[in-house]
Amino acid sequence: MPSVTMQPREGEMFHVVPVIDLREGGVVHARRGDRGRYPPLRSSLCAGNDPVAVVGGLLRLHPFHVVYAADLDAIQGTGNNRPALARLKAAFPDVGFWVDAGFRTADAVRGFVALGLGDAVLGSESLDGLAPLVMLKADPAWDRVILSLDFHDRFIGPPGLPDRPDLWPQRIIAMTLARVGSGEGPDWNRLAEIGRTKPQASLFAAGGVRNGDDLRNLAARGSAGALVATALHDGRIGGAELAALSR
């Protein structure tokens, strides 16, 4: 395993952020970024794939503070899952939601933040150039923005963004789509590179997390947290491990 140059921040808690992928009002099982082939979620934590049931099952496993929701219909331009997001916020008012809804422009982010449904995840794959980040950096909505640097075999997004940490908000997700649902482990090299580029950012790993060992390794190497789905639903990461990481 390559060494990662980030260092843990004193007193900073490691956050496990469960992920739900929404399509046509239900939760689907993400695998390797092939969104057209995601099947309905089957989980050991709940019956069915209704979003409220799924998040309820996750919260029975552990009192997560934040849930990440990918609105696949909005990302793919075929609709949106705002009714499902509104149901989730009403059912779980104390949970924060990070929502990737394919935001392309600063106005789209401002409009979403004004709805009060959650913080806006700007996926680099969806961004319309660097201009949205330039405009949002001076906007009150900036504190509600998370940037997801998206990768498949290579970076997906506006050219030059990986080299412009001045346009990155405080919270950064390193999203390796090819590893989502794969169980192949985190992308250690990519995490190291992003961590070196903006070491003061809160960096979250996404894609490939397999078990508690991966979470502990991420925490030890300075990641602020990890986005996890499959390993929670199939039981490879359980409540005891989550509780230990939260101490």
Side-chain angles (χ1 to χ4, degrees):
M1 181 187 302
S3 62
V4 177
T5 57
M6 296 179 294
Q7 294 297 317
R9 297 174 183 82
E10 184 176 354
E12 181 173 308
M13 182 183 297
F14 185 83
H15 296 277
V16 177
V17 179
V19 175
I20 59 170
D21 290 273
L22 299 169
R23 187 174 64 201
E24 297 179 354
V27 181
V28 294
H29 186 176
R31 292 174 179 166
R32 298 184 182 273
D34 188 4
R35 294 180 178 127
R37 300 171 66 90
Y38 291 174
L41 179 72
R42 297 182 64 180
S43 174
S44 64
L45 304 177
C46 64
N49 73 328
D50 179 80
V52 171
V54 172
V55 173
L58 288 163
L59 293 176
R60 285 190 294 274
L61 177 69
H62 182 75
F64 296 105
H65 298 294
V66 174
V67 172
Y68 176 106
D71 184 340
L72 300 181
D73 297 301
I75 291 170
Q76 295 180 291
T78 59
N80 68 68
N81 284 274
R82 287 192 180 176
L85 293 169
R87 288 179 59 222
L88 287 168
K89 192 61 183 174
F92 309 106
D94 296 329
V95 174
F97 289 90
W98 295 358
V99 180
D100 182 351
F103 302 110
R104 296 180 60 84
T105 66
D107 283 343
V109 172
R110 295 187 191 104
F112 177 80
V113 167
L115 293 174
L117 297 178
D119 289 359
V121 176
L122 275 65
S124 64
E125 65 171 333
S126 301
L127 278 177
D128 188 9
L130 299 179
L133 291 166
V134 173
M135 288 186 281
L136 287 166
K137 189 174 179 181
D139 192 280
W142 186 243
D143 289 340
R144 303 287 303 278
V145 168
I146 303 111
L147 175 63
S148 178
L149 295 172
D150 300 329
F151 299 83
H152 215 282
D153 297 326
R154 61 188 66 187
F155 176 68
I156 311 169
L161 180 55
D163 302 316
R164 291 292 307 273
D166 59 304
L167 294 179
W168 299 2
Q170 175 60 29
R171 293 171 292 177
I172 302 294
I173 298 169
M175 177 72 74
T176 304
L177 292 164
R179 296 196 182 207
V180 170
S182 71
E184 293 179 354
D187 192 336
W188 300 103
N189 286 328
R190 189 152 285 141
L191 287 163
E193 182 178 354
I194 294 171
R196 286 191 296 267
T197 302
K198 189 166 185 175
Q200 69 271 34
S202 296
L203 179 60
F204 294 80
V209 173
R210 297 164 291 191
N211 49 40
D213 286 342
D214 282 343
L215 295 177
R216 286 184 286 273
N217 283 331
L218 286 164
R221 287 163 172 77
S223 289
L227 276 58
V228 186
T230 303
L232 296 173
H233 292 293
D234 66 17
R236 282 179 289 137
I237 296 174
E241 288 173 307
L242 294 165
L245 280 162
S246 298
R247 296 194 186 106

